[in-house]
Amino acid sequence: MKVLVGVKRVIDYAAKVRVASNKRGVELTNVKMSMNPFCEIALEEAIRLKEKGAASEVVVVSVGPKGAQEQIRTALALGADRGLHLTTDLRLDQELQPLAVAKLFKAVVEREGDVGLVLLGKQSIDSDCGQVGPMLAGLLDWSQATFASKIDLCSGDNATFTVERETDTGTEVLECSKPAVITADLR
């Protein structure tokens, strides 16, 4: 099973954020950028699945400016097998909307073929939308689970995932069939 992982370039969580001089966003010049922490958790989960033998290949996908190659290289160093970079000069925190990103990911899934799982961070720390995963699942007509803290492939049938997820009252465990889109949460 091939696993696709979304990786977003964001301002580093420890960097001091400044309002841009035009008051229409934040200043990105000379600011440290890093991988979105929730995307990093999704990547770690994909690598765990590969180490368990449940995944055959981990492919990271990033939509963003030329600088996003840095986050793809980081993902490759952490254990991903391949990286795909969809280049755009649009600001991801303002101009490129979640539906457009979901449609781009759908095209990648269709082009790659044999994708059994798409793992994404539950949200990015810059726009905090949390919409790409559910929209992608809807566009693909795939199963989805959100806010996952643990993912396992069900032994026996290999056709379903067991997902432990965060809720307002604690955690719950559910099963979803392959193929699926799952968003990762901190845990």
Side-chain angles (χ1 to χ4, degrees):
M1 169 185 69
K2 189 183 298 184
V3 179
L4 228 64
V5 182
V7 173
K8 186 174 183 185
R9 177 183 175 88
V10 296
I11 294 176
D12 189 83
Y13 68 90
K16 184 174 181 177
V17 178
R18 298 180 318 268
V19 176
S21 60
N22 65 6
K23 309 281 190 232
R24 293 185 149 186
V26 296
E27 185 61 53
L28 297 179
T29 308
N30 298 323
V31 176
K32 182 180 180 196
M33 305 297 277
S34 63
M35 185 185 306
N36 181 50
F38 296 109
C39 296
E40 193 168 347
I41 293 164
L43 175 62
E44 289 171 6
E45 196 61 40
I47 292 167
R48 276 192 209 104
L49 288 170
K50 185 176 177 196
E51 288 171 350
K52 291 178 187 175
S56 58
E57 183 179 27
V58 175
V59 181
V60 294
V61 181
S62 187
V63 179
K66 187 175 181 179
Q69 292 175 6
E70 181 182 332
Q71 282 65 46
I72 294 171
R73 281 193 290 275
T74 300
L76 293 170
L78 290 171
D81 298 301
R82 286 190 299 127
L84 299 173
H85 184 200
L86 308 177
T87 307
T88 180
D89 289 328
L90 297 174
R91 282 187 58 140
L92 298 179
D93 62 335
Q94 296 174 350
E95 299 169 325
L96 193 60
Q97 297 299 310
L99 180 58
V101 175
K103 287 179 178 179
L104 290 169
F105 271 86
K106 179 181 185 236
V108 170
V109 167
E110 291 169 346
R111 191 185 109 216
E112 282 290 316
D114 192 35
V115 175
L117 176 62
V118 177
L119 279 170
L120 304 166
K122 73 169 184 172
Q123 66 193 58
S124 63
I125 61 171
D126 57 359
S127 62
D128 274 341
C129 287
Q131 298 171 345
V132 174
M135 285 182 183
L136 178 60
L139 290 170
L140 292 169
D141 197 26
W142 285 11
S143 301
Q144 70 171 308
T146 55
F147 310 113
S149 56
K150 184 178 178 186
I151 304 165
D152 284 313
L153 193 60
C154 290
S155 57
D157 67 359
N158 282 342
T160 57
F161 295 101
T162 302
V163 178
E164 185 176 327
R165 67 182 299 270
E166 299 275 329
T167 66
D168 290 338
T169 58
T171 61
E172 71 177 344
V173 177
L174 53 90
E175 284 189 8
C176 61
S177 59
K178 287 188 349 188
V181 176
I182 301 175
T183 64
D185 197 358
L186 294 170
R187 194 60 186 200

